[in-house]
Amino acid sequence: MPSDRRHLGQRFITVEGIEGVGKSTNMAFISAWLEERGQRVTVTREPGGTPGAEAIRRLVLETDRDQIPDQSELLLMFAARAAHLQTLILPALEAGDFVLCDRFTDASYAYQGYGRGLSLEAIEVLETLVQGALRPQLTVLLDGSFELSVARRADRTETDRFEQEQLAFFERVRAGYLAIAAEHPGRVKRVAAEQSLVDVQKDIALVLTTSYPELS
């Protein structure tokens, strides 16, 4: 990927966080905020977003962990990401759309790096290989506890292989997200997910207004 695509990231927004912190609800809020200001928005998710990447998503999420070793899990995530970028994200950005993505490479650092204990340096190599210089302009980190996650997922009848993980795993993932936020304060904006939805969305609106003053 040529380095001159760096500028495309200016319209690339990602939303991160552990399960149950309200990503879907607040993705819809962000999309509406942008559309109200006359912007075209492509909404997508990872792993997934395209037929090929969605097939990889099903493989990863529906297969027992002992059948997919941790390193294979990481490589599958980046295989899905490569397809997602080339067939959906980059064409949308090049067309002038905002792209709003439910998780992106920060999730690989948090889940496979901090959560699974895989090499952060190896993830960085894969990130550069697949993305080149492209990075999101803004990442909204919905930060919430494991207890919040469990409470909000209580009515789900089916769980995937990540949702079946226990407290220690999610504590490592959350710590990973907070470390990423501390390392990239200009891009990653933490929003406390344990607030009321009204307050969460007030915080998100402030983040959007600050990040995109030309739209305020």
Side-chain angles (χ1 to χ4, degrees), residues 77-120:
M77 291 295 189
F78 271 98
R81 184 163 298 131
H84 192 200
L85 276 167
Q86 294 300 322
T87 60
L88 191 149
I89 292 176
L90 285 171
L93 291 172
E94 288 166 348
D97 288 14
F98 271 84
V99 171
L100 176 60
C101 191
D102 183 343
R103 295 205 177 110
F104 195 60
T105 304
D106 289 323
S108 294
Y109 283 102
Y111 279 79
Q112 284 77 49
Y114 288 89
R116 302 288 193 219
L118 296 179
S119 165
L120 300 180

Side-chain angles (χ1 to χ4, degrees), residues 19-20 146 148-156 159 163 170:
E19 283 69 11
F146 177 71
L148 174 71
S149 173
V150 170
R152 290 187 177 172
R153 292 185 283 121
D155 59 349
R156 296 187 188 178
T159 56
E163 292 172 331
F170 283 107

Side-chain angles (χ1 to χ4, degrees), residues 138-210:
L138 171 64
T139 297
V140 177
L141 171 59
L142 294 168
D143 177 44
S145 68
F146 177 71
E147 290 75 17
L148 174 71
S149 173
V150 170
R152 290 187 177 172
R153 292 185 283 121
D155 59 349
R156 296 187 188 178
T157 57
E158 296 182 3
T159 56
D160 63 39
R161 69 201 302 262
F162 291 106
E163 292 172 331
Q164 294 167 14
E165 293 286 351
Q166 301 303 307
L167 171 62
F169 175 79
F170 283 107
E171 286 184 334
R172 294 193 300 272
V173 172
R174 184 184 184 189
Y177 272 131
L178 293 175
I180 293 166
E183 184 177 356
H184 303 283
R187 172 177 67 84
V188 183
K189 305 302 182 182
R190 176 188 175 274
V191 173
E194 303 196 31
Q195 305 177 91
S196 70
L197 180 59
V198 169
D199 287 336
V200 166
Q201 293 183 344
K202 282 182 180 177
D203 286 353
I204 292 174
L206 178 59
V207 165
L208 291 168
T209 300
T210 303

Side-chain angles (χ1 to χ4, degrees), residues 64-74 76 118 161:
D64 291 339
R65 186 181 173 194
D66 58 3
Q67 297 181 42
I68 300 181
D70 294 345
Q71 188 177 68
S72 297
E73 178 183 284
L74 173 65
L76 285 167
L118 296 179
R161 69 201 302 262

